[in-house]
Amino acid sequence: MVDVPGPRAASAGPEGTRPTLSRRNVLRASMASAAVLLGGGALTGCGSAAAAGDPGTVRLWDPFSGADGALLDELVETARPDMPGTGIERTVLEWGTPYYTKLAMASAGGRGPDVAVSHMSRLAGYAPLGLLDPWDTDLLAEFGVRESDFAEAVWSRTRYRDRTYAVPLDTHPFIVFFHPETAGKAGLLTDDGDLDQEAFSSPERFLEAGRELARASGKQGVAFGYVNDTAQGWRLFYGLYRQTGNDFALPEGGPVKADADAMAEVIAFMQKLVDGRTNPDRLDYPAAIAAFTNRQTGMILSGEWELGTFRTADPKVGAAPFPTVFGTPAVCADSHSFVLPRRPDPSEAHRRRTHRAVAAILKAGQVWAKAGHIPAYQPVTRTRAYARLEPQARYVKAADHVVLDPAVWFAGAGSGFQNSMSQVLQQAVLDGLSPDRAARAMIKRIDTALSQPSPA
């Protein structure tokens, strides 16, 4: 049986209203979120972020530590002139199961922060259950943030029952990084230094490009770290599967509707991609990063969030949207987004302050772009300053074709679903499970997830 995370969407109230949470539903939502999340950690306690305090302070929960945490501090500081009289108080929590469990429990009890960061792919497990309040899009527009400022591929996932429950901060896609000298020697760059997407435009061409990279580097071609990883296998598979023009139809109770032949075709390509000859075959995530940074490979399949690491090793590192291998442009991605944890009686004045603060942060997105993330607020990416960012400006078009996890309660970033799918894919890629059997095994696991009753 596949373990699946997060509270499932319960029946919502009438359109435009928030579902009512009974004491029993609050308890169920909190306990289910804690109990069914896979790969969990201890839930650490802290004081209520909603406690009385300075009315000029907007309290924010986020999972950003290290370099991203420091960059978020810089982003807030840059945005400060656009939100006079407002301070941002950050509470940083451990990413993954602990973060989403605590967010669900605090929201269910109406004791969450003023605003929180959530992966967009987790919205389906929160908004339908009434764990979030909707954003006032008219108020956002008053502060200069409108639906038209975002890529449709991202904004389309912010909605539930015609209300907006998430405001995207960024898009963080699964892309390719390369060493320009190696790629140039292999004949895989255009005259302006971009990756020649045509050279990767079919499974056969992609594999041949890997061989050219191996010859040019004198070592191996393409690195991909997937061994014992909870998400990497799924990220590569799902983006490629969506490129075949297919998706998963996931009706409540099941069964899943999927193209098993297309799934098997993608898995067969993944097997060939990490064949152990042209490209290394048994890399975990750190080993793949090491192989690329040490120039053992000319390219790596990775998330844009590794830009800082790769640029430290190679200041001229190149990057590009993930190539369209199977005909339909699609790039596996997610989005850090701002959500409003449920409040029984929110202060209108403070909600206005929160909307203004988030709008100011979005407008300062050039700072956040330094981490490699693509600012979701497109007026930022259309500036001359952004056009000068290397290599960010070369993969910004990926935002137009992003595909997020299926919008079901058990999927999304850090979920047991991604881990379960990655386990099957590892059996195929590493242990020789045939592509057709792997596809059937994935379908069976998805059916199991669909058959499970809502934790709520």
Side-chain angles (χ1 to χ4, degrees):
M1 179 178 292
V2 57
D3 292 317
V4 289
R8 188 183 179 181
S11 298
E15 186 167 305
T17 64
R18 185 174 62 218
T20 300
L21 290 182
S22 67
R23 182 184 301 272
R24 177 174 296 179
N25 280 343
V26 168
L27 180 61
R28 285 177 176 173
S30 301
M31 294 184 67
S33 181
V36 304
L37 291 172
L38 184 66
L43 181 62
T44 57
C46 72
S48 169
D54 181 1
T57 298
V58 171
R59 295 168 181 84
L60 167 68
W61 281 8
D62 69 78
F64 300 122
S65 58
D68 274 356
L71 201 61
L72 183 56
D73 285 337
E74 182 182 346
L75 176 61
V76 169
E77 187 62 31
T78 302
R80 193 173 303 282
D82 226 9
M83 48 176 173
T86 298
I88 303 292
E89 180 183 287
R90 291 180 58 207
T91 297
V92 182
L93 301 173
E94 181 184 351
W95 182 84
T97 297
Y99 184 80
Y100 286 107
T101 299
K102 192 168 186 68
L103 181 60
M105 294 175 71
S107 299
R111 299 184 303 276
D114 299 311
V115 63
V117 172
S118 171
H119 283 85
M120 188 79 75
S121 61
R122 300 300 294 259
L123 195 64
Y126 286 76
L129 191 59
L131 293 173
L132 303 175
D133 287 336
W135 289 87
D136 184 333
T137 53
D138 290 337
L139 192 53
L140 286 171
E142 180 182 332
F143 296 125
V145 173
R146 299 170 179 82
E147 176 182 347
S148 59
D149 294 324
F150 300 86
E152 172 61 22
V154 178
W155 188 262
S156 64
R157 291 295 296 266
T158 70
R159 310 278 289 172
Y160 173 69
R161 293 201 170 202
D162 294 328
R163 303 294 298 275
T164 297
Y165 283 88
V167 177
L169 169 63
D170 64 33
T171 302
H172 45 280
F174 192 70
I175 62 173
V176 297
F177 290 94
F178 56 89
H179 295 298
E181 300 90 340
T182 305
K185 185 178 179 180
L188 299 176
L189 297 183
T190 63
D191 291 342
D192 58 3
D194 284 328
L195 192 70
D196 183 1
Q197 295 281 332
E198 186 64 26
F200 296 82
S201 59
S202 71
E204 295 74 23
R205 289 182 177 182
F206 199 115
L207 296 173
E208 177 56 32
R211 290 189 285 270
E212 292 295 335
L213 285 166
R215 283 191 282 268
S217 70
K219 296 171 184 175
Q220 291 184 303
V222 181
F224 175 54
Y226 66 94
V227 176
N228 296 328
D229 193 271
T230 60
Q232 284 288 88
W234 169 253
R235 288 172 181 144
L236 178 57
F237 168 84
Y238 187 57
L240 292 172
Y241 178 65
R242 292 295 302 272
Q243 288 186 6
T244 67
N246 291 285
D247 197 358
F248 296 111
L250 303 172
E252 185 174 352
V256 60
K257 296 180 181 179
D259 189 325
D261 291 338
M263 293 173 66
E265 183 181 10
V266 169
I267 296 169
F269 168 66
M270 292 173 63
Q271 288 178 329
K272 294 174 183 177
L273 183 62
V274 288
D275 59 2
R277 296 186 295 275
T278 299
N279 308 316
D281 64 342
R282 295 176 178 270
L283 297 180
D284 60 17
Y285 193 94
I289 289 177
F292 182 68
T293 57
N294 294 332
R295 296 180 182 267
Q296 299 296 311
T297 63
M299 176 178 284
I300 187 170
L301 316 181
S302 187
E304 49 70 36
W305 51 87
E306 295 294 352
L307 174 59
T309 298
F310 297 148
R311 190 158 48 193
T312 298
D314 180 2
K316 295 182 179 180
V317 68
F322 200 96
T324 301
V325 183
F326 286 96
T328 302
V331 179
C332 185
D334 211 325
S335 168
H336 294 118
S337 303
F338 292 108
V339 296
L340 297 173
R342 173 182 173 271
R343 286 287 183 81
D345 296 297
S347 161
E348 182 177 342
H350 203 66
R351 274 288 164 88
R352 179 180 179 85
R353 186 182 296 275
T354 301
H355 280 64
R356 183 172 187 174
V358 167
I361 289 172
L362 295 180
K363 293 175 186 177
Q366 178 79 9
V367 173
W368 194 238
K370 292 191 292 186
H373 311 312
I374 302 174
Y377 184 67
Q378 291 188 321
V380 171
T381 62
R382 294 171 183 149
T383 63
R384 292 182 179 180
Y386 190 88
R388 290 193 293 268
L389 287 179
E390 287 286 351
Q392 292 95 316
R394 294 185 184 270
Y395 61 79
V396 66
K397 291 182 180 178
D400 295 332
H401 304 292
V402 297
V403 291
L404 279 67
D405 267 21
V408 288
W409 66 276
F410 52 78
S415 67
F417 171 76
Q418 289 188 348
N419 185 32
S420 179
M421 297 297 100
S422 293
Q423 289 173 0
V424 176
L425 290 164
Q426 177 172 306
Q427 292 177 37
V429 176
L430 184 63
D431 301 328
L433 181 66
S434 68
D436 61 326
R437 290 182 60 193
R440 290 198 300 270
M442 293 173 72
I443 289 172
K444 182 177 181 180
R445 292 193 177 200
I446 296 172
D447 282 340
T448 300
L450 287 170
S451 69
Q452 291 188 1
S454 165

